[in-house]
Amino acid sequence: MMNSLEIVALPAFADNYIWALRARGGAVAVVDPGDAAPVLAYLAATGTQLAAILVTHHHADHCGGIDDLLARHPAPVYGPALEAIDGVDRPLADGDQVALAGLGIEFEVLAVPGHTRGHIAYYRRGMLFCGDTLFGAGCGRLFEGTAATMHASLARIRALPADTQIYCAHEYTQANLRFAAAVEPDNAAIRDRVADTAQLRAAGRPSVPSTLAVEAATNPFLRWDAPAVIAAAQAQLGRPATDPIEIFAAVREWKNRF
Ligand code: ZN
Ligand code: FE
């Protein structure tokens, strides 16, 4: 039953979202708690119990709150096996299943390296928690991976069902859309999304989750094979190119300078 799981965005820092998944019985799992305070406030306000912590990668804005949470709410902590993260006691690799007994749900682990070397995402039918890999109209910076690595990770995500909700970890959509519009000035879906996003943000609401269908239509980092994106990348490179990785790399580097 869809309504047996409620998913809430808990804002943290300047632009992070900690996702709280709450089952009907009151068990809560949180994804990427960079700060404990918003989670503790949520648990107190809702009278719920922390049942699990899920982490996507080692950056402090995603895992900095683990210790403070565990001090008050002992819970299993899932995270990437390839990264050293304080508090993680359930190391995960690609293809692993995460059964959250208290919530009655299960996730599949996808290795999505690129932003960091061991970055993982949590997938179940209809939803993807992807940390800093894919953003609203954008993607994470390549801190520990090559363009080829990140492209492969994004290609895996793009192959998921189009109605998959994309729960990313930052509110970056508006700035990302300004870049997307520069890459594809004639893309009507981007124009629509600019308007939709402005409305949501003006109302103080998160611009995420979006769906994979929306990202596939508007996110330049999932559009390495769209003719307009290829043309824009070629203009940046100053030479012909069609290789998907080369197109992706050119767009990613352009964004770094944008
Ligand atoms: Zn990060
Ligand atoms: Fe982050």
Side-chain angles (χ1 to χ4, degrees):
M1 266 184 298
M2 285 306 287
N3 62 1
S4 64
L5 188 71
E6 181 183 78
I7 304 178
V8 180
L10 308 178
F13 309 117
D15 51 34
N16 281 72
Y17 289 127
I18 300 165
W19 294 105
L21 291 70
R22 174 188 178 182
R24 185 179 289 161
V28 168
V30 292
V31 183
D32 284 349
D35 186 5
V39 178
L40 294 170
Y42 173 80
L43 294 171
T46 54
T48 50
Q49 307 90 44
L50 187 65
I53 297 172
L54 278 60
V55 175
T56 61
H57 68 293
H58 68 83
H59 288 157
D61 64 311
H62 299 255
C63 54
I66 293 175
D67 287 349
D68 285 350
L69 285 176
L70 291 180
R72 309 219 207 153
H73 301 275
V77 185
Y78 299 87
L82 287 176
E83 299 186 353
I85 300 171
D86 253 20
V88 170
D89 59 1
R90 303 285 202 281
L92 298 170
D94 188 54
D96 283 349
Q97 303 287 323
V98 177
L100 302 178
L103 285 88
I105 61 172
E106 199 167 289
F107 285 105
E108 178 189 343
V109 175
L110 302 184
V112 286
H115 177 67
T116 63
R117 190 175 73 90
H119 200 303
I120 58 174
Y122 298 88
Y123 174 72
R124 70 189 276 264
R125 186 74 180 89
M127 61 186 75
L128 179 76
F129 294 87
C130 56
D132 285 357
T133 299
L134 183 65
F135 293 128
C139 77
R141 286 176 180 272
L142 309 184
F143 287 128
E144 299 173 15
T146 63
T149 312
M150 187 61 139
H151 175 266
S153 295
L154 293 173
R156 257 188 110 177
I157 290 175
R158 198 176 79 164
L160 295 172
D163 63 354
T164 303
Q165 305 259 323
I166 304 297
Y167 292 90
C168 61
H170 287 273
E171 180 60 63
Y172 289 159
T173 313
Q174 277 184 306
N176 286 339
L177 282 170
R178 283 192 281 278
F179 176 70
V183 177
E184 294 186 84
D186 299 326
N187 182 326
I190 292 175
R191 277 200 298 277
D192 290 349
R193 193 174 185 188
V194 167
D196 294 347
T197 303
Q199 217 165 29
L200 286 169
R201 299 304 294 147
R205 292 169 58 195
S207 67
V208 291
S210 64
T211 63
L212 190 54
V214 167
E215 297 305 332
T218 61
N219 189 323
F221 299 103
L222 292 183
R223 294 175 54 73
W224 52 79
D225 46 11
V229 174
I230 293 173
Q234 288 181 347
Q236 288 295 313
L237 291 166
R239 59 179 167 77
T242 53
D243 176 66
I245 295 170
E246 222 180 333
I247 301 301
F248 171 76
V251 176
R252 184 58 259 184
E253 271 169 36
W254 179 9
K255 173 69 159 59
N256 294 344
R257 306 188 301 269
F258 186 75

